Amino acid sequence: MQTNHHKERLYKILVIGDLGVGKTSIIKRYVHHNFSPNYRATIGVDFALKVLNWDQETVRLQLWDIAGQERFGNMTRVYYREAMGAFIVFDVTRPASFEAVTKWKEDLDSKLTLTNGKHVATVLLANKCDQGRDVLTNNGIKMEQFCQENGFVGWYETSAKENINIDEAANCLVKHIIASEKDMLQSEVSDTITPQLEKDKGGTCSSCFRSQ
Amino acid sequence: MKHFDRDRCELKSHCCTSIITLSVAILFLIMSLFARRVKDNRPVEQRDPGWKLFGKVPPREGPIKDPKKVQKEYETKSGRGGPGNPTSPRQSVRKNLDFEPLSTTALILEDRPANLPAKPVEEAQKHRQQYEEMVAQAKKRELKEAQKRKKQLEDRCKLEESIGTAAQTWNQEILPNWSAMCTSRRVRDLWWQGIPPSVRGKVWSLAVGNELNITHELYHICLSRAKVKWKTTPASSAETETEDAGCSDRESSLELIKLDISRTFPQLCIFQQGGPYHDVLHSILGAYTCYRPDVGYVQGMSFIAAVLILNLDTADAFIAFANLLNKPCQMAFFRVDHSLMLTYFAAFEVFFEENLPKLFAHFKKNNLTPDIYLIDWIFTLYSKSLPLDLACRVWDVFCRDGEEFLFRTALGLLRLYQDVLTCMDFIHMAQFLTRLPDLIPAEQLFQHIATIHMTSRNRKWAQVLQALQKDHERGSPVLKH
């Protein structure tokens, strides 16, 4: 996974969340730049590959689009392995899918930790924002608080249909993945590293928080 | 066009030209370009009756010149008489443009206007040569296309005829004597070739059977129970749902069904809200959650029910649906019995290695485990990943041979695409297999499936599966994921 010398990075990214919140649509928009209201339900897992130019490096994102039905949980958890980042998606028109967000996050964190013991960078996506706003996402401060409490590095109101904030959210995630990778490398390289308490390496993104 | 031809004739005899005729010639060029794009076979003058731009040219009556005549004229003119008779440079072709030859013949004959320097002989000859090549190529192409069309038509007729006779055989000979004939060699062979759509539903029903003894009445009872439930759960049950979210997702099955129905064969536009089969699909899935509350609704079911609806009446579709899901492999998957699913995957890998050792090694090297593609294929019985008509053919033989045919089909698909897959890395293979090409050659696929042997060291599928299950119960590490 660490192919820095080739100036090429490969990251596995999970896209999870309840059934029908638009995970596949978001990926289609991000990778293929189109939208169709006619996507078939995902059974198991689907894949997509996105190649980005990032500071004169090539970043390859392996997107794992995981079926949303809770019942598939046992079966799809194995796909969490070796992921470096995640999107958790909910549908702003279905509050129940937001309620499930904490479940998805807890599940993710319990199954997956980085080599330095930290959780993988996760961005929360409030999808279908073109279909009217939820009371909850209307309250930005509350949402930021929610992100901080639940260890999301950021959140975005997105619309795969109208192409809103998808690239921005992906860039935020990639930025945090690269930061956490550096962090991991540092902790591997020297044993006598000084603990960096609560230090935000991410930089400028205002809606980004570091978990722990 | 008439007037243009006339103009051209006059032009030749009087050797005079005007800007207008030149522009007409250019228009002609453009038109012939259009004509080629549209692939219109009508005579030129009929192509566009409203070609207003020609209004500038005084309309004249005159005999329509047959393009073939023009061509002939050209041939006699263009020095077929031998090299000793070089054509005048004034008869040179205009430019090497890739146009429909027949319509450009006239232009090829065109001299350069008198006020322009004439073309050199070599250039004229070169152009003529290029033109002849163009004509030859176009003729060849046309002939080829005509042959292809003829062949397609013949194939279609043949196919329709064979479907017709097959339907007759099924209806008159096989179905009336089902129990006696269904295992005969002849019927099995006919079965492999695909069941005619008109009898498909009946054959599936008979082959799947009704071990569960479900009656139409039972279906209606389950349906009315489901309807009661739909009424008691508010339409957009967002608020209430959170309260009983802990209850297990089986309770919210009804909500999930609603979300999934519109995502079932969306391209067919018949299961979507307002579509003719929306309510039927909703009813069958709802009735099933009442018939088997312990299983509930699981993603993938909507595809299976939809395929059955397309081939059977509602109540019969429900009976086939419930019996189909009751088969051991389907039960293992739809109840998400993880360890049993892993056993199935392990059995699949035994036959994978046996049949396609090279590809198997390539998959292993890339850490591509079978669950990644098999989950989708098995849960939907290929109805999501294969074109519908092809999926139905897989179902045909699945009804005949049982679960092992699902895995045999998987191996057939892998064999069909073996060459492409061996050139791919993990992500591209995973992408390819979870989204198979839109056009899959049916006959070729079935040939590949036919070459897959479902025996491993003299053990059949069921024996391999059973052995693995025993191993698993003993806690063999083989099945560790």
Side-chain angles (χ1 to χ4, degrees), chain A residues 19 38 40-41 43 45 47 62 64 69 71 74-75 79 94 99, chain B residues 242 259 266 295 297-299 338 341 371 384 426-427 430-431 434:
Chain A
L19 180 154
N38 289 343
R40 298 169 298 182
I43 315 287
V45 57
F47 300 88
Q62 237 182 45
W64 290 52
Q69 190 169 10
R71 199 90 61 87
N74 274 341
M75 180 174 95
Y79 301 140
R94 276 164 49 211
E99 303 296 325
Chain B
T242 49
L259 283 166
V295 180
Y297 172 75
V298 183
Q299 288 198 295
H338 203 214
M341 282 167 72
D371 49 289
K384 193 186 143 212
F426 169 85
I427 189 76
Q431 246 180 314
T434 49

PDB file of all heavy atoms in Angstrom, chain A residues 19 38 40-41 43 45 47 62 64 69 71 74-75 79 94 99, chain B residues 242 259 266 295 297-299 338 341 371 384 426-427 430-431 434:
ATOM      1  N   LEU A  19     -29.516   0.997   3.318  1.00  0.00           N
ATOM      2  CA  LEU A  19     -29.998   0.610   1.982  1.00  0.00           C
ATOM      3  C   LEU A  19     -30.700   1.795   1.295  1.00  0.00           C
ATOM      4  O   LEU A  19     -31.494   2.501   1.908  1.00  0.00           O
ATOM      5  CB  LEU A  19     -30.977  -0.528   2.225  1.00  0.00           C
ATOM      6  CG  LEU A  19     -31.736  -1.278   1.178  1.00  0.00           C
ATOM      7  CD1 LEU A  19     -32.051  -2.659   1.739  1.00  0.00           C
ATOM      8  CD2 LEU A  19     -33.015  -0.579   0.829  1.00  0.00           C
ATOM      9  N   ASN A  38     -31.963   5.109 -12.209  1.00  0.00           N
ATOM     10  CA  ASN A  38     -32.250   3.690 -12.419  1.00  0.00           C
ATOM     11  C   ASN A  38     -31.160   2.736 -11.956  1.00  0.00           C
ATOM     12  O   ASN A  38     -30.894   1.762 -12.641  1.00  0.00           O
ATOM     13  CB  ASN A  38     -32.493   3.430 -13.903  1.00  0.00           C
ATOM     14  CG  ASN A  38     -33.810   4.008 -14.355  1.00  0.00           C
ATOM     15  OD1 ASN A  38     -34.654   4.312 -13.520  1.00  0.00           O
ATOM     16  ND2 ASN A  38     -33.981   4.169 -15.645  1.00  0.00           N
ATOM     17  N   ARG A  40     -29.604  -0.313 -10.012  1.00  0.00           N
ATOM     18  CA  ARG A  40     -30.129  -1.512  -9.385  1.00  0.00           C
ATOM     19  C   ARG A  40     -29.554  -1.623  -7.988  1.00  0.00           C
ATOM     20  O   ARG A  40     -28.496  -1.094  -7.698  1.00  0.00           O
ATOM     21  CB  ARG A  40     -29.739  -2.726 -10.219  1.00  0.00           C
ATOM     22  CG  ARG A  40     -30.340  -2.668 -11.605  1.00  0.00           C
ATOM     23  CD  ARG A  40     -29.745  -3.727 -12.497  1.00  0.00           C
ATOM     24  NE  ARG A  40     -28.322  -3.541 -12.675  1.00  0.00           N
ATOM     25  CZ  ARG A  40     -27.582  -4.325 -13.447  1.00  0.00           C
ATOM     26  NH1 ARG A  40     -28.129  -5.320 -14.077  1.00  0.00           N
ATOM     27  NH2 ARG A  40     -26.305  -4.108 -13.582  1.00  0.00           N
ATOM     28  N   ALA A  41     -30.301  -2.310  -7.141  1.00  0.00           N
ATOM     29  CA  ALA A  41     -29.822  -2.500  -5.780  1.00  0.00           C
ATOM     30  C   ALA A  41     -28.481  -3.240  -5.816  1.00  0.00           C
ATOM     31  O   ALA A  41     -28.279  -4.118  -6.645  1.00  0.00           O
ATOM     32  CB  ALA A  41     -30.847  -3.321  -5.012  1.00  0.00           C
ATOM     33  N   ILE A  43     -26.020  -5.892  -4.483  1.00  0.00           N
ATOM     34  CA  ILE A  43     -26.028  -7.119  -3.687  1.00  0.00           C
ATOM     35  C   ILE A  43     -24.563  -7.457  -3.441  1.00  0.00           C
ATOM     36  O   ILE A  43     -23.798  -7.559  -4.386  1.00  0.00           O
ATOM     37  CB  ILE A  43     -26.684  -8.287  -4.466  1.00  0.00           C
ATOM     38  CG1 ILE A  43     -27.982  -7.856  -5.157  1.00  0.00           C
ATOM     39  CG2 ILE A  43     -26.889  -9.501  -3.578  1.00  0.00           C
ATOM     40  CD1 ILE A  43     -29.164  -7.635  -4.268  1.00  0.00           C
ATOM     41  N   VAL A  45     -21.108  -6.578  -2.967  1.00  0.00           N
ATOM     42  CA  VAL A  45     -20.233  -5.418  -3.068  1.00  0.00           C
ATOM     43  C   VAL A  45     -19.959  -5.091  -4.537  1.00  0.00           C
ATOM     44  O   VAL A  45     -19.873  -5.991  -5.365  1.00  0.00           O
ATOM     45  CB  VAL A  45     -18.912  -5.670  -2.280  1.00  0.00           C
ATOM     46  CG1 VAL A  45     -18.200  -6.899  -2.754  1.00  0.00           C
ATOM     47  CG2 VAL A  45     -17.989  -4.476  -2.327  1.00  0.00           C
ATOM     48  N   PHE A  47     -17.584  -2.364  -7.218  1.00  0.00           N
ATOM     49  CA  PHE A  47     -16.277  -1.723  -7.187  1.00  0.00           C
ATOM     50  C   PHE A  47     -16.173  -0.588  -8.185  1.00  0.00           C
ATOM     51  O   PHE A  47     -16.810  -0.611  -9.227  1.00  0.00           O
ATOM     52  CB  PHE A  47     -15.188  -2.748  -7.507  1.00  0.00           C
ATOM     53  CG  PHE A  47     -15.144  -3.872  -6.540  1.00  0.00           C
ATOM     54  CD1 PHE A  47     -15.916  -4.999  -6.726  1.00  0.00           C
ATOM     55  CD2 PHE A  47     -14.358  -3.782  -5.409  1.00  0.00           C
ATOM     56  CE1 PHE A  47     -15.904  -6.035  -5.821  1.00  0.00           C
ATOM     57  CE2 PHE A  47     -14.332  -4.822  -4.493  1.00  0.00           C
ATOM     58  CZ  PHE A  47     -15.103  -5.950  -4.700  1.00  0.00           C
ATOM     59  N   GLN A  62      -9.593   2.969  -4.560  1.00  0.00           N
ATOM     60  CA  GLN A  62     -10.386   1.767  -4.795  1.00  0.00           C
ATOM     61  C   GLN A  62     -11.652   1.914  -3.980  1.00  0.00           C
ATOM     62  O   GLN A  62     -11.611   1.861  -2.763  1.00  0.00           O
ATOM     63  CB  GLN A  62      -9.598   0.583  -4.245  1.00  0.00           C
ATOM     64  CG  GLN A  62      -9.298  -0.491  -5.217  1.00  0.00           C
ATOM     65  CD  GLN A  62      -8.560  -1.627  -4.537  1.00  0.00           C
ATOM     66  OE1 GLN A  62      -8.915  -2.058  -3.445  1.00  0.00           O
ATOM     67  NE2 GLN A  62      -7.516  -2.112  -5.186  1.00  0.00           N
ATOM     68  N   TRP A  64     -15.101   0.711  -2.540  1.00  0.00           N
ATOM     69  CA  TRP A  64     -15.865  -0.512  -2.259  1.00  0.00           C
ATOM     70  C   TRP A  64     -17.279  -0.098  -1.849  1.00  0.00           C
ATOM     71  O   TRP A  64     -17.483   0.457  -0.769  1.00  0.00           O
ATOM     72  CB  TRP A  64     -15.200  -1.328  -1.139  1.00  0.00           C
ATOM     73  CG  TRP A  64     -13.909  -1.957  -1.546  1.00  0.00           C
ATOM     74  CD1 TRP A  64     -12.837  -1.343  -2.126  1.00  0.00           C
ATOM     75  CD2 TRP A  64     -13.541  -3.336  -1.406  1.00  0.00           C
ATOM     76  NE1 TRP A  64     -11.837  -2.253  -2.358  1.00  0.00           N
ATOM     77  CE2 TRP A  64     -12.236  -3.481  -1.921  1.00  0.00           C
ATOM     78  CE3 TRP A  64     -14.189  -4.464  -0.884  1.00  0.00           C
ATOM     79  CZ2 TRP A  64     -11.571  -4.715  -1.933  1.00  0.00           C
ATOM     80  CZ3 TRP A  64     -13.526  -5.673  -0.884  1.00  0.00           C
ATOM     81  CH2 TRP A  64     -12.224  -5.799  -1.420  1.00  0.00           C
ATOM     82  N   GLN A  69     -28.090  -3.540   3.301  1.00  0.00           N
ATOM     83  CA  GLN A  69     -28.982  -4.242   4.222  1.00  0.00           C
ATOM     84  C   GLN A  69     -28.210  -4.788   5.412  1.00  0.00           C
ATOM     85  O   GLN A  69     -27.198  -5.465   5.265  1.00  0.00           O
ATOM     86  CB  GLN A  69     -29.741  -5.381   3.522  1.00  0.00           C
ATOM     87  CG  GLN A  69     -30.825  -5.942   4.422  1.00  0.00           C
ATOM     88  CD  GLN A  69     -31.780  -6.892   3.715  1.00  0.00           C
ATOM     89  OE1 GLN A  69     -31.559  -7.293   2.584  1.00  0.00           O
ATOM     90  NE2 GLN A  69     -32.837  -7.252   4.420  1.00  0.00           N
ATOM     91  N   ARG A  71     -28.693  -7.124   7.322  1.00  0.00           N
ATOM     92  CA  ARG A  71     -28.556  -8.576   7.359  1.00  0.00           C
ATOM     93  C   ARG A  71     -27.253  -9.058   6.726  1.00  0.00           C
ATOM     94  O   ARG A  71     -26.725 -10.106   7.073  1.00  0.00           O
ATOM     95  CB  ARG A  71     -29.743  -9.197   6.620  1.00  0.00           C
ATOM     96  CG  ARG A  71     -29.991 -10.643   6.933  1.00  0.00           C
ATOM     97  CD  ARG A  71     -30.924 -10.788   8.099  1.00  0.00           C
ATOM     98  NE  ARG A  71     -32.199 -10.177   7.759  1.00  0.00           N
ATOM     99  CZ  ARG A  71     -33.168 -10.845   7.120  1.00  0.00           C
ATOM    100  NH1 ARG A  71     -33.008 -12.092   6.808  1.00  0.00           N
ATOM    101  NH2 ARG A  71     -34.292 -10.248   6.846  1.00  0.00           N
ATOM    102  N   ASN A  74     -22.635  -9.589   8.512  1.00  0.00           N
ATOM    103  CA  ASN A  74     -21.628 -10.622   8.756  1.00  0.00           C
ATOM    104  C   ASN A  74     -20.796 -10.906   7.526  1.00  0.00           C
ATOM    105  O   ASN A  74     -19.620 -11.170   7.581  1.00  0.00           O
ATOM    106  CB  ASN A  74     -22.330 -11.931   9.127  1.00  0.00           C
ATOM    107  CG  ASN A  74     -22.616 -11.977  10.601  1.00  0.00           C
ATOM    108  OD1 ASN A  74     -21.990 -11.230  11.354  1.00  0.00           O
ATOM    109  ND2 ASN A  74     -23.547 -12.819  11.006  1.00  0.00           N
ATOM    110  N   MET A  75     -21.506 -10.872   6.422  1.00  0.00           N
ATOM    111  CA  MET A  75     -20.934 -11.287   5.161  1.00  0.00           C
ATOM    112  C   MET A  75     -20.011 -10.202   4.586  1.00  0.00           C
ATOM    113  O   MET A  75     -18.989 -10.498   3.989  1.00  0.00           O
ATOM    114  CB  MET A  75     -22.140 -11.507   4.267  1.00  0.00           C
ATOM    115  CG  MET A  75     -21.960 -11.935   2.915  1.00  0.00           C
ATOM    116  SD  MET A  75     -23.644 -12.244   2.293  1.00  0.00           S
ATOM    117  CE  MET A  75     -23.996 -10.695   1.515  1.00  0.00           C
ATOM    118  N   TYR A  79     -14.986  -7.186   4.150  1.00  0.00           N
ATOM    119  CA  TYR A  79     -14.518  -6.232   3.142  1.00  0.00           C
ATOM    120  C   TYR A  79     -13.926  -4.959   3.752  1.00  0.00           C
ATOM    121  O   TYR A  79     -13.375  -4.135   3.058  1.00  0.00           O
ATOM    122  CB  TYR A  79     -15.661  -5.863   2.190  1.00  0.00           C
ATOM    123  CG  TYR A  79     -16.238  -7.059   1.467  1.00  0.00           C
ATOM    124  CD1 TYR A  79     -17.596  -7.189   1.261  1.00  0.00           C
ATOM    125  CD2 TYR A  79     -15.395  -8.077   1.004  1.00  0.00           C
ATOM    126  CE1 TYR A  79     -18.119  -8.289   0.601  1.00  0.00           C
ATOM    127  CE2 TYR A  79     -15.914  -9.181   0.357  1.00  0.00           C
ATOM    128  CZ  TYR A  79     -17.277  -9.285   0.162  1.00  0.00           C
ATOM    129  OH  TYR A  79     -17.782 -10.384  -0.484  1.00  0.00           O
ATOM    130  N   ARG A  94     -34.706  10.564   4.834  1.00  0.00           N
ATOM    131  CA  ARG A  94     -35.097   9.428   5.677  1.00  0.00           C
ATOM    132  C   ARG A  94     -34.341   9.463   6.995  1.00  0.00           C
ATOM    133  O   ARG A  94     -33.245   8.936   7.115  1.00  0.00           O
ATOM    134  CB  ARG A  94     -34.806   8.106   4.965  1.00  0.00           C
ATOM    135  CG  ARG A  94     -35.926   7.695   3.994  1.00  0.00           C
ATOM    136  CD  ARG A  94     -35.460   6.630   3.029  1.00  0.00           C
ATOM    137  NE  ARG A  94     -34.785   5.522   3.681  1.00  0.00           N
ATOM    138  CZ  ARG A  94     -33.813   4.817   3.127  1.00  0.00           C
ATOM    139  NH1 ARG A  94     -33.381   5.123   1.920  1.00  0.00           N
ATOM    140  NH2 ARG A  94     -33.275   3.825   3.774  1.00  0.00           N
ATOM    141  N   GLU A  99     -30.219   7.861  11.792  1.00  0.00           N
ATOM    142  CA  GLU A  99     -30.103   7.153  13.077  1.00  0.00           C
ATOM    143  C   GLU A  99     -29.105   6.000  12.953  1.00  0.00           C
ATOM    144  O   GLU A  99     -28.421   5.651  13.906  1.00  0.00           O
ATOM    145  CB  GLU A  99     -31.464   6.576  13.503  1.00  0.00           C
ATOM    146  CG  GLU A  99     -32.581   7.594  13.622  1.00  0.00           C
ATOM    147  CD  GLU A  99     -32.324   8.616  14.712  1.00  0.00           C
ATOM    148  OE1 GLU A  99     -31.728   8.236  15.737  1.00  0.00           O
ATOM    149  OE2 GLU A  99     -32.702   9.790  14.515  1.00  0.00           O
TER     150      GLU A  99
ATOM    151  N   THR B 242     -37.636   4.356  14.202  1.00  0.00           N
ATOM    152  CA  THR B 242     -36.494   4.485  15.097  1.00  0.00           C
ATOM    153  C   THR B 242     -36.790   3.870  16.453  1.00  0.00           C
ATOM    154  O   THR B 242     -35.906   3.360  17.103  1.00  0.00           O
ATOM    155  CB  THR B 242     -36.109   5.960  15.280  1.00  0.00           C
ATOM    156  OG1 THR B 242     -37.287   6.687  15.582  1.00  0.00           O
ATOM    157  CG2 THR B 242     -35.447   6.510  14.032  1.00  0.00           C
ATOM    158  N   LEU B 259     -38.297   0.232  -0.924  1.00  0.00           N
ATOM    159  CA  LEU B 259     -37.092   0.854  -1.479  1.00  0.00           C
ATOM    160  C   LEU B 259     -36.510   0.039  -2.627  1.00  0.00           C
ATOM    161  O   LEU B 259     -35.943   0.586  -3.561  1.00  0.00           O
ATOM    162  CB  LEU B 259     -36.025   1.001  -0.379  1.00  0.00           C
ATOM    163  CG  LEU B 259     -36.235   2.131   0.607  1.00  0.00           C
ATOM    164  CD1 LEU B 259     -35.333   1.942   1.812  1.00  0.00           C
ATOM    165  CD2 LEU B 259     -35.964   3.469  -0.055  1.00  0.00           C
ATOM    166  N   PRO B 266     -34.827  -1.753 -13.283  1.00  0.00           N
ATOM    167  CA  PRO B 266     -35.361  -0.410 -13.578  1.00  0.00           C
ATOM    168  C   PRO B 266     -35.476  -0.135 -15.067  1.00  0.00           C
ATOM    169  O   PRO B 266     -36.362   0.585 -15.501  1.00  0.00           O
ATOM    170  CB  PRO B 266     -34.355   0.523 -12.908  1.00  0.00           C
ATOM    171  CG  PRO B 266     -33.140  -0.287 -12.658  1.00  0.00           C
ATOM    172  CD  PRO B 266     -33.591  -1.695 -12.504  1.00  0.00           C
ATOM    173  N   VAL B 295     -37.403 -15.366   7.948  1.00  0.00           N
ATOM    174  CA  VAL B 295     -36.463 -15.001   6.888  1.00  0.00           C
ATOM    175  C   VAL B 295     -36.648 -13.520   6.520  1.00  0.00           C
ATOM    176  O   VAL B 295     -35.695 -12.767   6.401  1.00  0.00           O
ATOM    177  CB  VAL B 295     -36.647 -15.896   5.638  1.00  0.00           C
ATOM    178  CG1 VAL B 295     -35.656 -15.493   4.543  1.00  0.00           C
ATOM    179  CG2 VAL B 295     -36.458 -17.362   5.990  1.00  0.00           C
ATOM    180  N   TYR B 297     -37.564 -10.141   4.361  1.00  0.00           N
ATOM    181  CA  TYR B 297     -37.122  -9.736   3.033  1.00  0.00           C
ATOM    182  C   TYR B 297     -35.611  -9.564   3.037  1.00  0.00           C
ATOM    183  O   TYR B 297     -35.047  -8.928   3.920  1.00  0.00           O
ATOM    184  CB  TYR B 297     -37.781  -8.411   2.617  1.00  0.00           C
ATOM    185  CG  TYR B 297     -37.191  -7.891   1.324  1.00  0.00           C
ATOM    186  CD1 TYR B 297     -37.509  -8.467   0.108  1.00  0.00           C
ATOM    187  CD2 TYR B 297     -36.249  -6.856   1.331  1.00  0.00           C
ATOM    188  CE1 TYR B 297     -36.933  -8.036  -1.073  1.00  0.00           C
ATOM    189  CE2 TYR B 297     -35.667  -6.403   0.154  1.00  0.00           C
ATOM    190  CZ  TYR B 297     -36.006  -7.001  -1.047  1.00  0.00           C
ATOM    191  OH  TYR B 297     -35.429  -6.573  -2.212  1.00  0.00           O
ATOM    192  N   VAL B 298     -34.964 -10.137   2.065  1.00  0.00           N
ATOM    193  CA  VAL B 298     -33.521  -9.970   1.923  1.00  0.00           C
ATOM    194  C   VAL B 298     -33.253  -9.486   0.502  1.00  0.00           C
ATOM    195  O   VAL B 298     -33.879  -9.971  -0.453  1.00  0.00           O
ATOM    196  CB  VAL B 298     -32.771 -11.304   2.178  1.00  0.00           C
ATOM    197  CG1 VAL B 298     -31.268 -11.099   2.088  1.00  0.00           C
ATOM    198  CG2 VAL B 298     -33.141 -11.869   3.529  1.00  0.00           C
ATOM    199  N   GLN B 299     -32.351  -8.551   0.385  1.00  0.00           N
ATOM    200  CA  GLN B 299     -32.027  -8.017  -0.934  1.00  0.00           C
ATOM    201  C   GLN B 299     -31.640  -9.138  -1.881  1.00  0.00           C
ATOM    202  O   GLN B 299     -30.922 -10.056  -1.496  1.00  0.00           O
ATOM    203  CB  GLN B 299     -30.885  -7.008  -0.826  1.00  0.00           C
ATOM    204  CG  GLN B 299     -31.323  -5.708  -0.188  1.00  0.00           C
ATOM    205  CD  GLN B 299     -30.339  -4.599  -0.471  1.00  0.00           C
ATOM    206  OE1 GLN B 299     -29.208  -4.670  -0.023  1.00  0.00           O
ATOM    207  NE2 GLN B 299     -30.771  -3.597  -1.207  1.00  0.00           N
ATOM    208  N   HIS B 338     -23.599 -17.560   7.513  1.00  0.00           N
ATOM    209  CA  HIS B 338     -22.276 -17.234   7.026  1.00  0.00           C
ATOM    210  C   HIS B 338     -21.385 -18.455   6.845  1.00  0.00           C
ATOM    211  O   HIS B 338     -20.710 -18.610   5.836  1.00  0.00           O
ATOM    212  CB  HIS B 338     -21.621 -16.217   7.949  1.00  0.00           C
ATOM    213  CG  HIS B 338     -20.555 -15.426   7.284  1.00  0.00           C
ATOM    214  ND1 HIS B 338     -19.428 -14.995   7.927  1.00  0.00           N
ATOM    215  CD2 HIS B 338     -20.436 -14.998   6.008  1.00  0.00           C
ATOM    216  CE1 HIS B 338     -18.665 -14.344   7.070  1.00  0.00           C
ATOM    217  NE2 HIS B 338     -19.254 -14.314   5.909  1.00  0.00           N
ATOM    218  N   MET B 341     -22.413 -20.495   3.908  1.00  0.00           N
ATOM    219  CA  MET B 341     -22.052 -19.790   2.680  1.00  0.00           C
ATOM    220  C   MET B 341     -20.573 -20.000   2.368  1.00  0.00           C
ATOM    221  O   MET B 341     -20.194 -20.250   1.230  1.00  0.00           O
ATOM    222  CB  MET B 341     -22.348 -18.289   2.815  1.00  0.00           C
ATOM    223  CG  MET B 341     -23.816 -17.944   2.654  1.00  0.00           C
ATOM    224  SD  MET B 341     -24.183 -16.263   3.172  1.00  0.00           S
ATOM    225  CE  MET B 341     -23.439 -15.314   1.875  1.00  0.00           C
ATOM    226  N   ASP B 371     -16.391 -14.996  -2.904  1.00  0.00           N
ATOM    227  CA  ASP B 371     -17.571 -14.295  -2.380  1.00  0.00           C
ATOM    228  C   ASP B 371     -17.812 -12.970  -3.090  1.00  0.00           C
ATOM    229  O   ASP B 371     -18.946 -12.548  -3.281  1.00  0.00           O
ATOM    230  CB  ASP B 371     -17.405 -14.052  -0.878  1.00  0.00           C
ATOM    231  CG  ASP B 371     -16.059 -13.439  -0.561  1.00  0.00           C
ATOM    232  OD1 ASP B 371     -15.058 -14.162  -0.671  1.00  0.00           O
ATOM    233  OD2 ASP B 371     -15.994 -12.242  -0.229  1.00  0.00           O
ATOM    234  N   LYS B 384     -29.554 -10.375 -12.139  1.00  0.00           N
ATOM    235  CA  LYS B 384     -29.079  -9.000 -12.150  1.00  0.00           C
ATOM    236  C   LYS B 384     -27.839  -8.859 -13.019  1.00  0.00           C
ATOM    237  O   LYS B 384     -27.645  -7.850 -13.674  1.00  0.00           O
ATOM    238  CB  LYS B 384     -28.754  -8.572 -10.712  1.00  0.00           C
ATOM    239  CG  LYS B 384     -28.558  -7.098 -10.555  1.00  0.00           C
ATOM    240  CD  LYS B 384     -28.100  -6.759  -9.143  1.00  0.00           C
ATOM    241  CE  LYS B 384     -27.103  -5.637  -9.191  1.00  0.00           C
ATOM    242  NZ  LYS B 384     -26.114  -5.738  -8.135  1.00  0.00           N
ATOM    243  N   PHE B 426      -6.468  -6.929  -9.253  1.00  0.00           N
ATOM    244  CA  PHE B 426      -7.609  -7.186  -8.378  1.00  0.00           C
ATOM    245  C   PHE B 426      -8.814  -6.310  -8.692  1.00  0.00           C
ATOM    246  O   PHE B 426      -9.908  -6.794  -8.958  1.00  0.00           O
ATOM    247  CB  PHE B 426      -7.215  -7.002  -6.900  1.00  0.00           C
ATOM    248  CG  PHE B 426      -8.408  -7.004  -5.983  1.00  0.00           C
ATOM    249  CD1 PHE B 426      -8.934  -8.205  -5.522  1.00  0.00           C
ATOM    250  CD2 PHE B 426      -9.022  -5.818  -5.612  1.00  0.00           C
ATOM    251  CE1 PHE B 426     -10.052  -8.216  -4.706  1.00  0.00           C
ATOM    252  CE2 PHE B 426     -10.145  -5.826  -4.801  1.00  0.00           C
ATOM    253  CZ  PHE B 426     -10.655  -7.031  -4.346  1.00  0.00           C
ATOM    254  N   ILE B 427      -8.589  -5.003  -8.671  1.00  0.00           N
ATOM    255  CA  ILE B 427      -9.743  -4.097  -8.768  1.00  0.00           C
ATOM    256  C   ILE B 427     -10.444  -4.225 -10.109  1.00  0.00           C
ATOM    257  O   ILE B 427     -11.669  -4.170 -10.199  1.00  0.00           O
ATOM    258  CB  ILE B 427      -9.339  -2.628  -8.453  1.00  0.00           C
ATOM    259  CG1 ILE B 427     -10.583  -1.722  -8.348  1.00  0.00           C
ATOM    260  CG2 ILE B 427      -8.386  -2.067  -9.477  1.00  0.00           C
ATOM    261  CD1 ILE B 427     -11.354  -1.853  -7.086  1.00  0.00           C
ATOM    262  N   ALA B 430     -12.429  -7.462 -10.087  1.00  0.00           N
ATOM    263  CA  ALA B 430     -13.609  -7.323  -9.230  1.00  0.00           C
ATOM    264  C   ALA B 430     -14.671  -6.479  -9.932  1.00  0.00           C
ATOM    265  O   ALA B 430     -15.854  -6.804  -9.919  1.00  0.00           O
ATOM    266  CB  ALA B 430     -13.215  -6.684  -7.902  1.00  0.00           C
ATOM    267  N   GLN B 431     -14.213  -5.413 -10.578  1.00  0.00           N
ATOM    268  CA  GLN B 431     -15.131  -4.550 -11.311  1.00  0.00           C
ATOM    269  C   GLN B 431     -15.781  -5.312 -12.463  1.00  0.00           C
ATOM    270  O   GLN B 431     -16.981  -5.219 -12.690  1.00  0.00           O
ATOM    271  CB  GLN B 431     -14.352  -3.366 -11.891  1.00  0.00           C
ATOM    272  CG  GLN B 431     -14.741  -2.044 -11.293  1.00  0.00           C
ATOM    273  CD  GLN B 431     -13.945  -0.903 -11.891  1.00  0.00           C
ATOM    274  OE1 GLN B 431     -12.724  -0.987 -12.040  1.00  0.00           O
ATOM    275  NE2 GLN B 431     -14.623   0.152 -12.237  1.00  0.00           N
ATOM    276  N   THR B 434     -18.286  -8.012 -11.129  1.00  0.00           N
ATOM    277  CA  THR B 434     -19.514  -7.511 -10.512  1.00  0.00           C
ATOM    278  C   THR B 434     -20.326  -6.699 -11.515  1.00  0.00           C
ATOM    279  O   THR B 434     -21.448  -6.313 -11.233  1.00  0.00           O
ATOM    280  CB  THR B 434     -19.233  -6.667  -9.255  1.00  0.00           C
ATOM    281  OG1 THR B 434     -18.224  -5.710  -9.563  1.00  0.00           O
ATOM    282  CG2 THR B 434     -18.773  -7.521  -8.097  1.00  0.00           C
TER     283      THR B 434
END
